[in-house]
Amino acid sequence: MYSKEDTREYQKQTADLLKKAGKGISANEIEALRHVLRFHEHRYYILNDPLVSDFEYDQLYKALEKLEAENPSLIKPDSPTQRVAKDLTKDFPTVQHLVPMLSLDNSYNSDDLFDFDRKARELTGLPVIEYCVEPKFDGGSISLIYENDLLTRGATRGDGVEGDEVTINVKQIRSLPLSAAFSSYGIQQIEIRGEVLINKTNFARYNEKLVEQGLSPLANPRNAAAGTLRIKDPKEAARRNLEAFVYHVSYYALEKGKKVPAELTTHAGSLSLLWDLGFRSPEKEKRIFKGIEGVIKYCAEFETGRDNLPYEIDGMVIKVNDFALQEKMGMTSHHPRWAIAYKFKARQGTTRLLDVEFQVGRTGAVTPVAKLEPVGIGGVTVSSISVHNEEYIREKDLRKGDRVLVERAGDVIPQIVKSLPDARTGKETAIVFPKTCPVCNSKLFKEEEEAVWRCVNIECPAQVVERIIHFVSKDAMDIRGFGEANVRKFYELQLLKDIPGIYTLDFNGLSGMEGFGQKSIDNLQTAIANSKKQPLHRLIYALGIRFVGETTAKTLAQAVNHLLDFKRFSLEDLQNLEDVGPKVAGSIHHFFSNKSNIEMLELLEKAGLQLKNEKKQLVTGGNLTGQTFLFTGTLPTLKRSEAEAIAEENGGQILSGVSAKLNYLVVGEDAGSKLEKAKKINTVKIISEAEFLQLTGKK
Ligand code: IVH
């Protein structure tokens, strides 16, 4: 798509535009700016190899938004800004596909593929056939129409003849270009097919968020992708980070007098054409083979490596490469005769749901866990699966004794897809949620808008153990040698009863314990000693405050000089921190208002843990000593981080939000809500970068 020379040229233009971005880019450069943005989108979403930081991309994108807001007549439908939709979609009209979207015939082993090859040779009368092989992407299928180079319609498969028009959501998929130069091949209109996916990381992240909010997670990435295509809120569709592969040209109309381009005489050629126009086609994954033997080997190779891919595939698709031969072979009413899917071993299985146990987590949430008759799925035995909450059980109509369909999508946690009511005998029984904590027996509570029942007794032994397990875990204090099993063992033996107890552990008491030799004791002792040096943000994360993940922990660590400073933070102070909303602020406030939490922190400090924010130690004697600063907007010469460093080097302190504690707000171009807020507080002085540098006495 972009040659080396193009790339060099775009990089030059990028540097040039970035320099101008703060001050203003002139309207006659708007098209160049769009080209540069499209180039970087291609690097990021298609090649997975960005050449600018997210921040730099955002600066250019914002500059384009500004230019378009000032010059609405210059907006074009394929501008990178035009993906974003403002309103909710009312409904998705039904539309007819230009060519029916057929399914594929399936094969499961090499015999099936030998059969397919034999039939193909019979139908064509050829001794050897050339095949093109590519992955079978496991998502939701879409059909796209481009007319005069512009994406004009995106539709779901529907019944194959008619689907739902979901153009607005399709435009949220950054790996699909809003315009592509089909006209350079003489093509006036084209219909292409592809698959919309959500990659495994984004899927796991999305499900985590749902569970955190007490909502039901989705069973697999396929459902997540297909469901998102039909979601009414395009902004939510954008947030889920869908991706798309395109793999089939189903129809095209040429401009008058134009000849069929050579690329459109073979399937492999059509994939290259799409790739060259900026689409994500399986250009790198496809292979061409003469005869079926190579095909079989390649399919096996891909099956072995499927877990290493960032997205799910459920097989391979084998297509006769030559379009003229495809035409000759034709199709049935269900599938083309020139293609076949080779399905990988299923990662689904059915088994019996024997019982449901209720586990109490670190925040007191009671999670039902289904105990299953062990079943092998894709090489892993599954015998226990979380069924999340009461609503999830009701939605899926799960009963004890049911046969259930279980799916394990690669490295994604296994899920129950559904119960199989037809297999019921009448002996199945309802799953009854307990009213009291299964561990400490105290009454369970459920907040109105939540799906989760909670044990609110913070002394509940289950919660205490889970909190210790979280505290020592890898991403928290990283105390190796502890591990979940040891924490449970030590707790049962009353060698460890709370988090501070980690630092007063009686190592002599451990010796002689089964599986605990001197070496393990020494290792554990060293790991515990080392954990005292962990930076503040890790400690904050390790405390397991509800809704405080690693990112929020970093924000919090930056906001104070000492962890106990949070005792004095009001809800409002907390909400002024970046990305801290009312729910998170409430939880943090609740934590630091609790006496036993404060006592625990004091004990940890006595034990030698780092409660001070080391980087934030004030420089005394600097010109800015005792003064607080916040930077907003794009500064003319300094990067935000540089400006903050200068302030700190001179004794100043950086706050993360506007409040009455702020002395100076240093504003650059495009300062937003912080500036508005600061104007309302009389004591905050609003200054420029130059004035700030003067304060330091260095300029
Ligand atoms: S070709 C006329 N190629 O699998 C042939 N389909 O089970 C059109 N799929 O409906 C299909 N990856 O949604 C083709 N590389 C690929 C594919 C693929 C996934 C989907 C497609 C199709 C379904 C059939």
Side-chain angles (χ1 to χ4, degrees), residues 474-536:
K474 189 164 163 288
D475 295 332
M477 299 302 271
D478 191 19
I479 308 185
R480 291 171 197 205
F482 239 131
E484 193 172 327
N486 284 332
V487 172
R488 290 188 196 286
K489 199 149 109 198
F490 294 179
Y491 186 83
E492 264 163 40
L493 296 172
Q494 300 193 351
L495 289 164
L496 180 63
K497 60 182 201 323
D498 52 20
I499 289 172
I502 295 169
Y503 297 95
T504 53
L505 201 60
D506 172 16
F507 292 102
N508 293 330
L510 299 185
S511 63
M513 252 174 70
E514 207 190 308
F516 239 80
Q518 195 52 44
K519 185 128 202 276
S520 339
I521 295 176
D522 289 347
N523 287 345
L524 182 58
Q525 202 162 6
T526 317
I528 291 176
N530 285 342
S531 78
K532 295 180 185 175
K533 290 179 234 142
Q534 291 285 19
L536 182 57

Side-chain angles (χ1 to χ4, degrees), residues 200-325:
K200 293 174 192 167
T201 316
N202 283 327
F203 175 69
R205 205 175 285 160
Y206 177 62
N207 259 356
E208 243 168 58
K209 239 199 259 165
L210 288 178
V211 172
E212 232 170 64
Q213 290 166 2
L215 299 169
S216 302
L218 297 167
N220 50 50
R222 177 177 58 255
N223 291 0
T228 304
L229 273 179
R230 303 184 72 264
I231 205 163
K232 300 263 158 141
D233 179 0
K235 287 210 184 82
E236 177 57 24
R239 275 193 286 275
R240 296 201 197 160
N241 295 318
L242 294 184
E243 302 174 19
F245 272 97
V246 294
Y247 46 64
H248 181 60
V249 172
S250 49
Y251 169 86
Y252 62 90
L254 294 172
E255 288 164 2
K256 249 203 188 122
K258 291 284 158 74
K259 284 212 198 82
V260 173
E263 288 82 356
L264 289 186
T265 57
T266 62
H267 176 67
S270 70
L271 295 182
S272 303
L273 180 147
L274 290 168
W275 177 263
D276 286 340
L277 288 179
F279 288 88
R280 194 171 177 206
S281 72
E283 177 68 5
K284 307 281 175 227
E285 295 81 1
K286 77 175 186 206
R287 288 274 189 294
I288 297 172
F289 298 96
K290 287 204 164 54
I292 202 75
E293 285 78 10
V295 171
I296 293 171
K297 250 171 109 186
Y298 190 52
C299 289
E301 230 174 78
F302 239 90
E303 180 157 15
T304 320
R306 75 192 277 202
D307 279 346
N308 302 327
L309 294 175
Y311 46 82
E312 275 297 318
I313 64 173
D314 59 341
M316 302 297 279
V317 183
I318 298 106
K319 297 172 183 175
V320 170
N321 195 27
D322 188 327
F323 281 166
L325 285 184

Side-chain angles (χ1 to χ4, degrees), residues 24 56 115 131 143 152 166 182 220 296 298 327 366 407 420 542 567 650 669 699:
E56 286 166 326
D115 262 359
Y131 295 108
S143 129
T152 53
V166 290
F182 286 109
N220 50 50
I296 293 171
Y298 190 52
E327 190 124 342
V366 178
E407 176 163 327
L420 304 169
K567 279 197 301 188
N650 287 282
E669 193 148 338
K699 209 172 182 180

Side-chain angles (χ1 to χ4, degrees), residues 45-47 83 137 139-144 146 151 169-177 192-199 225 229 240-247 274-275 278-282 285 311:
Y45 293 104
I46 308 286
L47 301 183
R83 293 186 188 271
F137 304 101
S141 45
I142 44 158
S143 129
L144 307 164
Y146 285 78
L151 170 63
N169 287 346
V170 162
K171 282 187 177 172
Q172 311 307 321
I173 304 171
R174 305 292 205 108
S175 43
L176 286 175
I192 50 189
R193 303 259 153 98
E195 205 80 0
V196 169
L197 317 162
I198 181 165
N199 75 31
L229 273 179
R240 296 201 197 160
N241 295 318
L242 294 184
E243 302 174 19
F245 272 97
V246 294
Y247 46 64
L274 290 168
W275 177 263
F279 288 88
R280 194 171 177 206
S281 72
E285 295 81 1
Y311 46 82

